[in-house]
Amino acid sequence: GAGVSQTPSNKVTEKGKYVELRCDPISGHTALYWYRQSLGQGPEFLIYFQGTGAADDSGLPNDRFFAVRPEGSVSTLKIQRTERGDSAVYLCASSLGVGLSGANVLTFGAGSRLTVL
Amino acid sequence: AQSVSQHNHHVILSEAASLELGCNYSYGGTVNLFWYVQYPGQHLQLLLKYFSGDPLVKGIKGFEAEFIKSKFSFNLRKPSVQWSDTAEYFCAVNAPGSARQLTFGSGTQLTVLP
């Protein structure tokens, strides 16, 4: 597509529920990133995919968070047993290739705003 | 710990005023540096980037930034702001050894009064 698409744009859930957030990257972009942005903060890195595999998941806060990208395109971020502290905007970004060279700058989606009551 | 500092949380200017937003980082060695902008209701967009070469980088919409290695700084400037520049501005750094990660500052909200 023309840009990075994220759904849903807004999600309100109750504490303890399971949530899935979807990201559709720019067509042809092999690298996909998830970031989390809490109120008043800059985006924080969660996980990065190169193709189908998670190349770096060091930013995932705990084992309630998991992400997949089974066909190397669309990715889903999954959050189990949600907590109020998980409330944030979850941003997805994609880039053409590997590493942050001049050709591989990240393009961000509009984000999914998650509110846990 | 690696970090990026944006000391100004909220800046208010009148149109035609000059702008400088501070960004300092705490990494050693080679870094890649970025400024992203988020206009109200829109997604993060790249404003400009520095990888190597001339430390004075020019971006879109008349913005520029200067990389000063000795000061670990990458300040954003614009000679004359417009009302449409009202947005949140984020500085970001590519951490050495983490070629696929960006570390962001906490952002500066710029409000330009007409």
Side-chain angles (χ1 to χ4, degrees):
Chain A
V4 178
S5 176
Q6 292 189 246
T7 55
S9 55
N10 277 286
K11 175 71 176 178
V12 180
T13 191
E14 294 179 343
K15 178 183 173 184
K17 298 292 187 182
Y18 170 81
V19 166
E20 288 190 353
L21 306 175
R22 174 189 168 106
C23 173
D24 196 345
I26 292 173
S27 179
H29 279 196
T30 61
L32 184 146
Y33 309 76
W34 284 98
Y35 282 78
R36 178 170 71 174
Q37 186 174 15
S38 301
L39 194 62
Q41 300 296 319
E44 294 178 296
F45 171 80
L46 295 177
I47 187 170
Y48 151 75
F49 288 88
Q50 177 55 38
T52 60
D56 185 347
D57 64 359
S58 61
L60 294 177
N62 52 59
D63 61 5
R64 295 187 297 106
F65 288 75
F66 190 71
V68 296
R69 195 186 185 198
E71 298 178 356
S73 178
V74 171
S75 176
T76 304
L77 178 65
K78 307 181 180 193
I79 309 173
Q80 298 176 323
R81 305 183 304 279
T82 51
E83 299 177 357
R84 292 192 180 88
D86 298 336
S87 296
V89 177
Y90 289 81
L91 298 171
C92 179
S94 68
S95 66
L96 189 60
V98 177
L100 288 175
S101 71
N104 294 332
V105 177
L106 273 62
T107 300
F108 283 85
S112 292
R113 182 178 298 278
L114 174 65
T115 303
V116 182
L117 302 177
Chain B
Q2 301 163 341
S3 65
V4 177
S5 296
Q6 292 182 247
H7 305 295
N8 308 106
H9 296 293
H10 195 180
V11 173
I12 302 174
L13 296 173
S14 297
E15 277 195 314
S18 64
L19 170 72
E20 181 161 2
L21 300 182
C23 173
N24 289 90
Y25 62 94
S26 63
Y27 304 105
T30 303
V31 292
N32 298 323
L33 297 153
F34 306 79
W35 276 97
Y36 278 84
V37 60
Q38 189 165 26
Y39 297 102
Q42 297 188 27
H43 59 277
L44 276 168
Q45 302 172 39
L46 181 68
L47 201 54
L48 50 78
K49 61 185 184 292
Y50 171 80
F51 283 85
S52 63
D54 189 343
L56 186 60
V57 179
K58 295 194 182 298
I60 60 172
K61 304 185 179 185
F63 285 91
E64 64 179 30
E66 185 176 12
F67 171 48
I68 302 179
K69 188 174 181 179
S70 61
K71 295 185 178 180
F72 297 90
S73 70
F74 189 56
N75 292 355
L76 181 69
R77 301 194 294 247
K78 186 171 184 178
S80 176
V81 295
Q82 301 172 318
W83 176 80
S84 59
D85 293 326
T86 294
E88 189 151 21
Y89 292 81
F90 293 94
C91 181
V93 174
N94 163 216
S98 300
R100 289 161 282 281
Q101 290 186 30
L102 286 179
T103 299
F104 285 84
S106 58
T108 297
Q109 174 64 46
L110 172 66
T111 300
V112 180
L113 304 175

